[in-house]
Amino acid sequence: MATTTFVILSVVTSARAQSTPAGQVQAQAATALPFNIPSQPLASAIRAFGRQSGMQITLSSAPTGSVNTSAVVGRLTPADALDRMLSGTGISAHISGDGGAAMIGSAEIVNAIPQEDGVTQLAPIVIKGGRRASSGSGYRGTPDWVYEEPASVSVISREAIQSSPARNARDLLDTAAGVYANRSEGQNPGVTVNIRGLQDQNRVVTMIDGARQNFQRNGHGSTQRTYVETAFIREIDVEKSGTSGVGGAGALGGSVNFRTVEADDLIEDGRQWGGEANATVGTNEFQFDGASMAAVRLSDSFSVLGGISHKKIGAYDIGENGDIKLYDSSVHDGAAIFTGQDSYSYLLKAEAELTDDLDTSLTWLRNDSDFSQGSYNNDGDLDEDTQQVLNDTLTSSLHWDPDSELIDLNARLWYNHTRNREKRYGSAINDDGFPVNYALGTLGFSIDNTSRFDTSAGSLSLNYGVEAFFDRGKTETLEDYFLNGVDMTATYTGTTPSGDRDVYSAFANATFEHDDWLMAQAGLRYDYYNLSGDASLYGLEVKTIDNRRCRLYFPNGVTCRIWTGTIDRVTVYPENVIPVDNSDGALLPSAMLAVKPVDWLQPFAKYSRSFRPPTIMETFLTGGHPGVNLVENAPNPDLVAEEGNTFELGVNTTTDGLLSADDSVRLKAVGFYREIENYIALGTVHRAETGRDYASYVNVDGTTRMKGIELEASYDAGKWYAGLSYTYLKTDFGTSYNYDGTSYEIEPSIIFVPPRNKFTIDAGMRLFDDKLTIGGRATHVGGTSPNIGVLASNYVTEDYSLYDIYGSYAFNDTVKLRFAVNNVTDVAYVPALGTISLPGPGRTATASLNFKF
């Protein structure tokens, strides 16, 4: 991580020094003052320090590095407050002889200043990283703030992303404690995240730069999918419990935010432009993964960034060692068919500091992916559904931090649109495949402000705001007439139905800090949702006629393509319109208490209540299996929202110099217990309108429970390092429900249950002045089985262990070679939360070149 250098043109005018007697100013400089400066970007922290200390500081430019300061709370002298604030930033400082000004800059600048009597010289400090730091000490480059945050959070850093070539972004989540990437739709490159046993239907909020990715498509496995390439990811932030601030609306079990690169990640200190190019090739159909990015600082206050990436990967061979149960229909000559993809991604970003206290950014990210799904049919022929997904995410943000402790305002407006164009096999209407278009657009915004106060007992900050988002789903296809001329279009559009959903939220959070050892938080949010539109329910009638009928019509519904001769029975599907107007709201409290009895230890306890509204899919479900049965699914406009209570006990440990002068120890351990009421799953219902049974989403009886332990730790001694991640998880899902006064057992649903245990250990060495890094990783994952569902046997996985080696060599400051061999032992396995029809990839070797310019 680059060290930020400040060039200070002027610190304070001589008039100020003359306006106050020197003795009085020096007395003020030695006097303890109340400070309340949260951890924040360096530039805004310096402005806050100037306001609270009474010193004047003039900067010639904004900081060029992604560095945050440490929090400063309590009554301190300005010198002590400045020392604490800059701790871990690599920035040096001194206070002028009269105590009225502070010189802040790089060690070179500060050390060059002639030392006068009364000058306080602060020594350079080794960088530690801040809340926006993209890397830190440890085997995964996890930034240090993760181990200082009294919450269940994990970060996959840019260092970890670049050193682990991935076929798919979901591969990057495998080492995070409590986090799984569902692979039941393994032929689809979309990312489905499972946190502590919760996934799909927006239970886990997935975002790109804070913009929600709410797209879902029904199938035989997971439904929620986020399309993002690894090339432009700066870091992945994972929140595992209820979020009381921005991003928490409608979230039941946490959030995942894929943050994209910024100009400061590409432009080195002292330069006005910079960039990098990456290219990866490998074995086992890892054909090419490359990207180029460049950023330019057009002025001290305006920068632009652009990038393009291309990934082309073929169908991989599965491992050869070990016996696994699999379906031959999806594996041919040792290769898992259709597991490749061809994708392009594009990134544009503009960042501007409009004034000293107002900055803004605008980002557009596009992912364009082509892939296929399918298998061999009973006749030995290959059935292929071609897929094209276009995902556009636009975000704009505004940050205003004027010279007032009452205002620190953030505003964000975003829009995401995901479109999945499919061509299904086996259509007589179109020889190129039957086209279906699934699309979801989501518009959202948030505004929040933080006000800070000093009290006699400590500092108090209030964060409050509003957020909202609006889902608009639309699935379209050609009219499909068959079975004696009956319109079967809804068999393609009904399982991923069209509809509207609006979610609104208001929140307020208070944080109290006393000295350096006590932190207490209390929050309250109110979430409200509305689902509206018309759903369809199809019934079945049989009529007797004597006529020549058409088995399959062209899209105009008139011209017949296939005649079946004289028939005397016709199946008719009457449509019943079911109006939907479902809305509800809930108050959601949260609380947290953290203490720090010693500098290196921080125990904490947290409680949060969460609320997840039904989705468009769950509410408007209709139709049936594509092209097979129109009278299979029914909507449920009476669904109620899921509500959860999560209790956590955790501890953070950060220690430097434990066994040697240069080592660091980082650890976060959390135990949790979660209860969920009204969990939504697929069941069978009887509809009075038609007198028939249907599959429909229902609220499960009783309480769904989840509990577990999560541990992430690292030890870094410079020349060598080691780290581990461990997850223990036990889930207990309900199996019955009540509908219209009748009790049922859940049968059609598939509820994915993560493994009880997951363990990763990683260790390596840095040689030749850190130019060469060599490491290895071992991962063990326990077996798992869905506890409900007629297709549950397809998703049973056994224990497996994987071994990887990796390394890098830096030829110089601008060229680095990375190499890796994944699944060294070429073991055959079915990944956790996967399907036996798609085993994981066998041994794969990759080599990457990274150029910085």
Side-chain angles (χ1 to χ4, degrees):
M1 181 176 178
T3 301
T4 303
T5 301
F6 277 69
V7 178
I8 313 298
L9 292 183
S10 63
V11 178
V12 63
T13 61
S14 60
R16 175 180 173 88
Q18 296 171 359
S19 63
T20 306
Q24 180 180 340
V25 175
Q26 290 170 352
Q28 291 172 350
T31 301
L33 301 173
F35 285 92
N36 181 9
I37 306 175
S39 175
Q40 57 189 292
L42 188 55
S44 59
I46 290 174
R47 291 196 298 268
F49 175 81
R51 293 194 301 267
Q52 297 180 27
S53 66
M55 298 179 180
Q56 283 187 315
I57 302 173
T58 303
L59 305 179
S60 65
S61 63
T64 59
S66 300
V67 177
N68 270 32
T69 60
S70 298
V72 180
V73 180
R75 298 188 66 86
L76 302 165
T77 65
D80 289 341
L82 188 59
D83 190 4
R84 184 175 299 180
M85 187 183 78
L86 296 178
S87 173
T89 64
I91 304 301
S92 298
H94 77 269
I95 295 177
S96 62
D98 64 359
M103 175 65 77
I104 302 173
S106 67
E108 292 81 2
I109 292 176
V110 173
N111 290 337
I113 300 171
Q115 301 302 298
E116 304 172 358
D117 291 340
V119 171
T120 301
Q121 177 72 45
L122 303 182
I125 305 168
V126 177
I127 198 164
K128 301 286 187 183
R131 187 62 169 83
R132 284 174 51 80
S134 60
S135 64
S137 62
Y139 75 107
R140 279 191 349 213
T142 302
D144 282 354
W145 68 261
V146 171
Y147 302 104
E148 299 167 354
E149 188 86 356
S152 303
V153 296
S154 292
V155 168
I156 292 87
S157 70
R158 183 156 173 77
E159 178 181 327
I161 294 169
Q162 290 184 324
S163 63
S164 302
R167 291 180 181 271
N168 184 279
R170 61 189 169 216
D171 298 342
L172 303 174
L173 299 167
D174 289 341
T175 59
V179 182
Y180 301 86
N182 187 288
R183 289 174 169 86
S184 61
E185 295 282 341
Q187 294 173 323
N188 191 315
V191 180
T192 301
V193 183
N194 184 301
I195 295 180
R196 295 176 171 176
L198 293 177
Q199 67 171 62
D200 290 328
Q201 307 298 343
N202 301 146
R203 292 184 176 96
V204 174
V205 175
T206 310
M207 299 172 284
I208 298 176
D209 287 333
R212 292 174 184 249
Q213 310 290 301
N214 287 352
F215 177 79
Q216 298 197 67
R217 180 183 159 187
N218 223 327
H220 286 258
S222 60
T223 61
Q224 187 172 346
R225 296 160 195 178
T226 296
Y227 295 90
V228 59
E229 276 301 335
T230 59
F232 301 138
I233 300 175
R234 183 178 190 264
E235 70 180 44
I236 307 174
D237 295 344
V238 181
E239 302 270 358
K240 303 172 191 175
S241 62
T243 303
S244 56
V246 171
L252 184 68
S255 64
V256 177
N257 192 12
F258 296 90
R259 299 184 184 272
T260 58
V261 295
E262 302 172 354
D264 288 343
D265 298 317
L266 302 178
I267 303 175
E268 296 184 358
D269 297 333
R271 301 187 63 186
Q272 294 300 108
W273 62 276
E276 67 177 51
N278 300 280
T280 302
V281 295
T283 63
N284 201 5
E285 291 299 312
F286 201 113
Q287 299 175 14
F288 179 77
D289 184 7
S292 295
M293 292 176 285
V296 58
R297 202 176 302 282
L298 300 177
S299 70
D300 290 340
S301 59
F302 183 69
S303 62
V304 294
L305 178 152
I308 181 173
S309 75
H310 179 215
K311 176 177 285 186
K312 185 174 178 60
I313 295 178
Y316 58 74
D317 288 337
I318 68 173
E320 295 185 354
N321 297 321
D323 295 325
I324 58 172
K325 180 181 178 181
L326 56 86
Y327 282 161
D328 293 336
S329 60
S330 296
V331 178
H332 184 67
D333 291 335
I337 63 174
F338 302 140
T339 50
Q341 68 177 97
D342 192 351
S343 64
Y344 287 87
S345 290
Y346 312 89
L347 174 66
L348 286 176
K349 180 174 290 191
E351 301 168 273
E353 186 175 347
L354 304 179
T355 66
D356 287 343
D357 51 28
L358 182 65
D359 56 79
T360 185
S361 67
L362 180 65
T363 304
W364 169 63
L365 179 67
R366 162 170 285 196
N367 177 265
D368 188 350
S369 296
D370 291 302
F371 57 98
S372 293
Q373 294 178 249
S375 62
Y376 285 89
N377 59 34
N378 293 332
D379 297 327
D381 298 325
L382 187 63
D383 291 331
E384 178 179 8
D385 290 340
T386 61
Q387 312 283 335
Q388 191 265 336
V389 173
L390 191 64
N391 184 35
D392 285 296
T393 300
L394 295 96
T395 59
S396 61
S397 64
L398 184 74
H399 180 215
W400 182 36
D401 184 16
D403 291 336
S404 171
E405 294 302 306
L406 299 180
I407 301 176
D408 186 355
L409 185 141
N410 291 280
R412 184 179 297 273
L413 177 67
W414 51 266
Y415 178 72
N416 172 255
H417 185 270
T418 304
R419 183 201 67 205
N420 180 184
R421 286 180 173 172
E422 176 187 43
K423 286 189 176 181
R424 299 185 66 90
Y425 56 82
S427 172
I429 289 181
N430 190 329
D431 292 336
D432 294 329
F434 186 75
V436 188
N437 184 42
Y438 310 89
L440 180 75
T442 305
L443 175 68
F445 71 88
S446 65
I447 302 174
D448 73 289
N449 182 58
T450 301
S451 300
R452 301 176 177 90
F453 308 89
D454 289 314
T455 71
S456 58
S459 65
L460 176 67
S461 64
L462 300 178
N463 175 256
Y464 46 93
V466 296
E467 65 175 325
F469 62 90
F470 314 98
D471 288 337
R472 297 295 181 264
K474 187 67 174 178
T475 300
E476 299 175 301
T477 185
L478 297 176
E479 293 178 328
D480 187 23
Y481 290 85
F482 68 110
L483 295 178
N484 301 323
V486 175
D487 183 357
M488 297 287 284
T489 306
T491 65
Y492 295 95
T493 61
T495 53
T496 305
S498 303
D500 299 340
R501 183 177 71 147
D502 302 334
V503 178
Y504 308 85
S505 183
F507 56 87
N509 303 284
T511 301
F512 173 78
E513 296 179 80
H514 177 71
D515 292 336
D516 292 329
W517 67 272
L518 175 66
M519 177 185 294
Q521 291 179 345
L524 184 66
R525 73 182 305 136
Y526 179 75
D527 281 4
Y528 175 84
Y529 73 91
N530 177 255
L531 282 145
S532 61
D534 289 329
S536 296
L537 175 69
Y538 294 92
L540 175 63
E541 297 179 8
V542 177
K543 296 181 179 180
T544 301
I545 65 171
D546 184 9
N547 198 354
R548 288 167 58 87
R549 296 289 292 177
C550 178
R551 182 176 180 272
L552 185 67
Y553 281 88
F554 279 102
N556 59 18
V558 177
T559 307
C560 191
R561 183 183 178 99
I562 301 175
W563 288 99
T564 59
T566 302
I567 59 175
D568 59 6
R569 296 180 67 83
V570 179
T571 304
V572 179
Y573 295 85
E575 180 180 2
N576 298 271
V577 176
I578 308 295
V580 174
D581 187 9
N582 185 4
S583 60
D584 197 6
L587 281 171
L588 309 171
S590 63
M592 187 277 296
L593 180 67
V595 296
K596 209 169 187 180
V598 291
D599 288 343
W600 54 271
L601 183 67
Q602 184 190 47
F604 62 88
K606 183 179 179 181
Y607 163 77
S608 60
R609 184 163 178 82
S610 54
F611 178 83
R612 202 273 300 181
T615 61
I616 294 171
M617 180 185 295
E618 293 168 322
T619 304
F620 291 87
L621 180 76
T622 188
H625 192 285
V628 177
N629 183 6
L630 185 64
V631 188
E632 187 174 21
N633 302 323
N636 187 352
D638 300 320
L639 282 174
V640 299
E642 298 172 341
E643 297 190 49
N645 293 296
T646 302
F647 305 86
E648 297 172 302
L649 288 175
V651 62
N652 289 319
T653 297
T654 58
T655 303
D656 295 326
L658 180 66
L659 302 179
S660 67
D662 299 325
D663 70 2
S664 64
V665 178
R666 304 289 184 264
L667 180 145
K668 180 185 288 286
V670 179
F672 75 92
Y673 174 74
R674 173 178 284 153
E675 296 181 339
I676 299 172
E677 304 295 334
N678 305 318
Y679 189 87
I680 298 175
L682 201 62
T684 300
V685 302
H686 184 82
R687 298 293 304 200
E689 298 93 330
T690 62
R692 295 179 57 85
D693 290 341
Y694 298 84
S696 181
Y697 284 99
V698 296
N699 292 110
V700 176
D701 290 337
T703 302
T704 291
R705 293 179 172 85
M706 301 166 181
K707 59 184 178 182
I709 298 172
E710 299 156 355
L711 173 66
E712 292 185 2
S714 72
Y715 177 82
D716 196 325
K719 294 299 182 183
W720 67 276
Y721 60 89
L724 65 86
S725 168
Y726 173 71
T727 303
Y728 169 79
L729 176 64
K730 186 178 186 300
T731 57
D732 182 15
F733 289 90
T735 59
S736 64
Y737 60 96
N738 188 284
Y739 184 83
D740 197 24
T742 303
S743 182
Y744 298 86
E745 293 293 322
I746 295 178
E747 294 180 358
S749 181
I750 300 170
I751 296 180
F752 290 96
V753 179
R756 286 274 182 101
N757 294 280
K758 182 179 72 166
F759 180 82
T760 297
I761 185 167
D762 192 309
M765 298 181 297
R766 303 182 183 102
L767 307 171
F768 307 120
D769 296 326
D770 295 342
K771 288 185 176 182
L772 175 64
T773 298
I774 298 177
R777 178 172 49 247
T779 301
H780 177 78
V781 181
T784 182
S785 173
N787 63 342
I788 301 170
V790 296
L791 298 177
S793 60
N794 294 354
Y795 303 93
V796 175
T797 65
E798 304 293 336
D799 293 21
Y800 60 91
S801 297
L802 301 176
Y803 303 94
D804 310 318
I805 58 175
Y806 61 89
S808 66
Y809 184 80
F811 294 97
N812 49 49
D813 292 338
T814 60
V815 181
K816 178 177 283 189
L817 171 68
R818 293 184 172 92
F819 49 89
V821 181
N822 293 332
N823 193 2
V824 173
T825 57
D826 200 27
V827 65
Y829 70 101
V830 177
L833 300 181
T835 169
I836 60 177
S837 61
L838 288 171
R843 184 188 300 116
T844 304
T846 57
S848 307
L849 267 180
N850 173 259
F851 300 89
K852 294 183 178 180
F853 52 88

